[in-house]
Amino acid sequence: MPSRIFGIVTVSAFALLATQAVADSLPSWNGGPAKQAIVEFVAQVSDPDSPGFVPAAERIAVFDNDGTLWAEQPLYFQLIFALDRIKALAPEHPEWRNTQPFKAALNDDLDMVLAGGHHALLELVMATHAGMTVSEFRAVADDWLRTAKHPTTGKLYTDMVYQPMLELLAYLRANDFRTYITSGGGIELLRVFAEDVYGIPPHQVIGSSIKTQYEYRNGDPVLVRLPELNFIDDKDGKPIAINQHIGRRPIAAFGNSDGDLQMLQWTCAGDGARLCAYVHHTDDEREWAYDSESHIGRLDEGLDQAQSDGWTVIDMQDDWNIIFSYEEN
Amino acid sequence: MPSRIFGIVTVSAFALLATQAVADSLPSWNGGPAKQAIVEFVAQVSDPDSPGFVPAAERIAVFDNDGTLWAEQPLYFQLIFALDRIKALAPEHPEWRNTQPFKAALNDDLDMVLAGGHHALLELVMATHAGMTVSEFRAVADDWLRTAKHPTTGKLYTDMVYQPMLELLAYLRANDFRTYITSGGGIELLRVFAEDVYGIPPHQVIGSSIKTQYEYRNGDPVLVRLPELNFIDDKDGKPIAINQHIGRRPIAAFGNSDGDLQMLQWTCAGDGARLCAYVHHTDDEREWAYDSESHIGRLDEGLDQAQSDGWTVIDMQDDWNIIFSYEEN
């Protein structure tokens, strides 16, 4: 018994020191159990003398995007992009005025759009995301991200990223982690802003995709985006895509919904030190509060497993002293 | 005119200096036009004062594998692996003795196997590559690579990599390139040896793949390999997969067959300094000699475009003073 007690005391003292040493790296995090779990984990895997040491090449951390790195209310931002594009393209498509779900989209009748279910959303996405080259799509997405404003905050969508998560990404990279996005959102839209906003380069972005076709147009090769699903990077798709793109199991995973559950299961089933964490949307004042009953970012089964498996739950209200960087202004 | 002449003289002198400076990096290359094109290109993109300078993050080089990094005769090595596995698994499949293409494979009747066309090969591949977890497959492939011998040289397959290409990979990485494999071969087999043999980590390996399925077996998540094609990374598939995995256009591409043509077109259509090169199998003594008439690694249309577009052609007989490192012994 004395040796076990001694062990616990040593670990706690070590964690305390580690927390203090990196206090400046995570200033938007309050000093609760979530921050402590992160700091302990990073200290453990980076210290060559620690039993939990992991070589830098294997320090891979994966992050969901919607609801984990940036907000996802009142609607996934990529769906707002699709709705905005429907309006921009409407003059070229007079038939949309009398055809659902386009008519509902043009009339800002979101309930009617959502009543059409997945099929309606897919139609809107394909009408706005396909039928152009990859370069052309990136230019359109870039223009939207630079100008479109969130319906309730009036901020650019790229301003609605979580300041504590930006600090976490930088902190992990400073400790030789490679940080990846593994999003249910579209891979090409993500790549337009992920490097500038998150410091995550295009080859470390994993997402859903539509098929593309190679065409050699008079000596000028292009990749054309087709109105056909290629891969849905959600639920079971996340560990599948992680294996396909990375070929190694991550040692840390961050999500916020049941769509991230399989990614967290896959990550934390590996040997050695692991960190699986859920961002829990608990702050109705500064952000939104939702979990098991939400139609977007539902967190139900995942929260149960987080409790039973001892994963970290990041309580936005308690753990983050700033949510969006614009709060500082 | 004088200024133009001066310009040419300057570039040539610069290239000569560059060639001498890195002479030790590419010792297996003779000093012909192929080596000179490589050295000039690398010098140009790495020198911040050069008009062709490319930031390190964009220095991406892609390499085909079969026939470009390692040999591919008398048969793609992965097909030899499949045939070896058929024999190893035969005791569990007595029905194979009377069913084609398995019967032909068990009788070493390669002509009969090939007479079955793509369908027969696919059957053999699925019977040997699917129906197990990703981890289990890696263990089987690793064991084969450590023990199986090439039918004519008697060497391990991983000894049949081209020494000049190993030097080229290292030379590019020493100049801050990221090197990728983009192979028609299977992504998981490649990942088993690519890091040890080529210095290319799993996340920089792109290849063909079969579908996988996520299963949560009593709290133990696994990825199961299914007997269903996911993606063929050949011809048009190569630029498509490069965009999917990397999200940026490479600035250098190396192949050896018409299956690499679209990858080279895509790479060299980008702005700024580019290097597209074909390895031409011209050495019947030390390796094999084949191009437009070969059923494996056919190089026909690609050779025409290399000439018309001024791409580099690496003549194995003339340009390489060593092909396999075991020649040195």
Side-chain angles (χ1 to χ4, degrees):
Chain A
M1 280 300 281
S3 71
R4 191 166 166 218
I5 289 170
F6 181 71
I8 290 169
V9 170
T10 308
V11 168
S12 300
F14 176 68
L16 187 67
L17 284 169
T19 309
Q20 290 170 335
V22 297
D24 288 340
S25 300
L26 300 171
S28 302
W29 292 73
N30 294 323
K35 180 175 185 170
Q36 191 173 329
I38 291 168
V39 170
E40 280 185 43
F41 169 75
V42 172
Q44 194 180 16
V45 301
S46 325
D47 176 3
D49 296 328
S50 151
F53 176 70
V54 175
E58 293 168 30
R59 280 180 225 157
I60 296 165
V62 290
F63 290 81
D64 170 58
N65 183 52
D66 295 310
T68 300
L69 294 179
W70 76 359
E72 60 183 349
Q73 297 286 0
L75 204 61
Y76 295 127
F77 294 172
Q78 189 156 10
L79 284 182
I80 302 178
F81 165 73
L83 295 171
D84 284 355
R85 289 299 300 160
I86 292 288
K87 289 177 188 166
L89 295 168
E92 301 163 34
H93 294 275
E95 74 280 10
W96 285 354
R97 303 213 155 274
N98 301 304
T99 321
Q100 294 297 10
F102 303 99
K103 184 179 170 184
L106 292 172
N107 292 338
D108 285 319
D109 187 348
L110 197 58
D111 289 341
M112 176 67 94
V113 168
L114 294 176
H118 276 288
H119 180 74
L121 293 176
L122 209 57
E123 267 201 274
L124 296 176
V125 166
M126 292 307 178
T128 52
H129 287 64
M132 67 204 85
T133 69
V134 169
S135 308
E136 287 162 354
F137 177 77
R138 287 181 185 168
V140 167
D142 185 62
D143 182 61
W144 182 80
L145 285 164
R146 287 179 193 283
T147 53
K149 302 286 173 62
H150 186 275
T152 61
T153 66
K155 299 289 178 183
L156 292 175
Y157 292 98
T158 50
D159 285 340
M160 296 192 63
V161 301
Y162 305 132
Q163 176 64 25
M165 296 305 278
L166 295 181
E167 294 167 6
L168 176 57
L169 287 166
Y171 170 56
L172 290 172
R173 289 192 293 260
N175 285 280
D176 293 331
F177 276 75
R178 273 181 298 129
T179 53
Y180 282 82
I181 289 174
T182 46
S183 171
I187 191 168
E188 293 295 356
L189 185 80
L190 285 158
R191 281 173 167 161
V192 170
F193 70 95
E195 187 150 33
D196 281 353
V197 174
Y198 300 136
I200 296 181
H203 60 281
Q204 286 168 212
V205 173
I206 304 171
S208 296
S209 56
I210 57 177
K211 288 194 188 297
T212 58
Q213 176 173 293
Y214 179 81
E215 292 179 15
Y216 198 57
R217 296 177 174 169
N218 297 319
D220 181 25
V222 292
L223 290 171
V224 179
R225 290 166 62 79
L226 304 180
E228 189 183 343
L229 279 177
N230 179 57
F231 189 79
I232 299 290
D233 189 36
D234 195 34
K235 298 190 169 69
D236 288 8
K238 293 205 177 196
I240 289 170
I242 285 169
N243 184 61
Q244 179 76 1
H245 280 255
I246 308 179
R248 246 186 200 132
R249 199 190 296 244
I251 64 168
F254 299 84
N256 78 301
S257 79
D258 285 353
D260 304 311
L261 178 56
Q262 290 80 357
M263 173 171 85
L264 270 61
Q265 288 171 342
W266 177 247
T267 299
C268 273
D271 294 331
R274 303 278 150 169
L275 179 66
C276 284
Y278 264 126
V279 173
H280 193 188
H281 293 264
T282 52
D283 195 321
D284 210 9
E285 295 279 317
R286 298 180 297 168
E287 209 246 359
W288 286 269
Y290 57 96
D291 47 31
S292 62
E293 300 296 319
S294 177
H295 67 287
I296 282 186
R298 180 194 305 267
L299 178 61
D300 184 20
E301 205 186 331
L303 208 49
D304 290 343
Q305 187 159 356
Q307 266 141 23
S308 66
D309 285 27
W311 296 343
T312 295
V313 176
I314 299 162
D315 185 309
M316 288 176 80
Q317 189 171 53
D318 288 350
D319 286 318
W320 292 357
N321 59 60
I322 288 175
I323 293 183
F324 300 113
S325 64
Y326 57 74
E327 292 169 23
E328 288 180 306
N329 302 329
Chain B
M1 280 302 281
S3 71
R4 190 168 165 218
I5 289 168
F6 181 71
I8 290 170
V9 170
T10 308
V11 167
S12 299
F14 177 68
L16 186 68
L17 285 170
T19 308
Q20 290 170 337
V22 298
D24 287 341
S25 301
L26 300 172
S28 302
W29 292 73
N30 294 322
K35 180 174 186 172
Q36 191 171 331
I38 291 167
V39 170
E40 279 185 43
F41 169 75
V42 172
Q44 194 180 15
V45 302
S46 324
D47 175 2
D49 296 327
S50 152
F53 176 71
V54 174
E58 293 169 29
R59 280 181 225 154
I60 297 164
V62 290
F63 290 81
D64 170 58
N65 184 50
D66 294 311
T68 301
L69 294 179
W70 75 359
E72 60 182 350
Q73 296 287 358
L75 204 60
Y76 295 126
F77 295 172
Q78 189 156 10
L79 285 183
I80 301 178
F81 165 73
L83 295 171
D84 284 356
R85 288 299 299 159
I86 291 289
K87 288 176 189 166
L89 295 168
E92 300 164 35
H93 294 275
E95 74 280 10
W96 285 353
R97 304 213 153 272
N98 302 304
T99 321
Q100 296 295 11
F102 303 99
K103 184 178 169 184
L106 292 173
N107 293 337
D108 283 320
D109 187 348
L110 197 57
D111 288 341
M112 177 67 95
V113 169
L114 294 176
H118 275 289
H119 179 73
L121 294 177
L122 208 58
E123 267 200 276
L124 297 176
V125 167
M126 291 308 178
T128 52
H129 287 64
M132 66 204 85
T133 69
V134 169
S135 309
E136 287 163 354
F137 178 76
R138 287 181 186 167
V140 168
D142 185 60
D143 182 61
W144 182 80
L145 285 165
R146 287 178 192 282
T147 54
K149 302 285 172 65
H150 186 274
T152 63
T153 66
K155 299 288 178 183
L156 292 175
Y157 292 98
T158 49
D159 285 339
M160 295 193 64
V161 302
Y162 305 132
Q163 176 64 25
M165 298 305 278
L166 295 181
E167 295 167 7
L168 175 58
L169 287 166
Y171 171 55
L172 290 172
R173 289 192 293 259
N175 284 280
D176 294 331
F177 276 74
R178 271 181 297 132
T179 53
Y180 282 82
I181 289 175
T182 47
S183 171
I187 190 167
E188 293 296 356
L189 185 79
L190 285 159
R191 281 172 167 162
V192 170
F193 70 96
E195 188 150 33
D196 281 352
V197 174
Y198 301 136
I200 296 181
H203 61 282
Q204 287 169 209
V205 174
I206 304 170
S208 296
S209 55
I210 57 178
K211 288 195 189 294
T212 57
Q213 177 173 293
Y214 179 81
E215 290 179 16
Y216 198 58
R217 295 177 175 170
N218 297 320
D220 181 25
V222 292
L223 290 171
V224 179
R225 290 166 62 79
L226 304 181
E228 189 184 343
L229 279 176
N230 179 54
F231 188 79
I232 300 288
D233 189 35
D234 194 35
K235 298 191 168 68
D236 289 9
K238 293 207 177 194
I240 289 170
I242 286 169
N243 184 62
Q244 180 74 2
H245 280 255
I246 309 179
R248 247 185 199 133
R249 198 190 298 244
I251 64 168
F254 298 84
N256 79 302
S257 80
D258 285 354
D260 304 311
L261 179 56
Q262 290 80 359
M263 174 172 84
L264 269 62
Q265 289 171 344
W266 176 247
T267 299
C268 273
D271 295 330
R274 303 277 150 171
L275 179 65
C276 283
Y278 264 126
V279 173
H280 192 188
H281 293 264
T282 53
D283 196 321
D284 211 9
E285 295 280 317
R286 298 181 297 168
E287 210 244 1
W288 286 269
Y290 57 98
D291 48 31
S292 61
E293 300 296 319
S294 177
H295 68 287
I296 282 187
R298 180 194 304 268
L299 178 61
D300 184 19
E301 204 186 332
L303 208 49
D304 290 344
Q305 186 158 357
Q307 265 141 21
S308 65
D309 285 27
W311 295 343
T312 296
V313 176
I314 300 163
D315 184 309
M316 288 176 79
Q317 190 172 51
D318 288 350
D319 286 319
W320 291 356
N321 59 60
I322 288 174
I323 293 183
F324 300 114
S325 64
Y326 57 75
E327 293 169 23
E328 287 180 306
N329 302 331

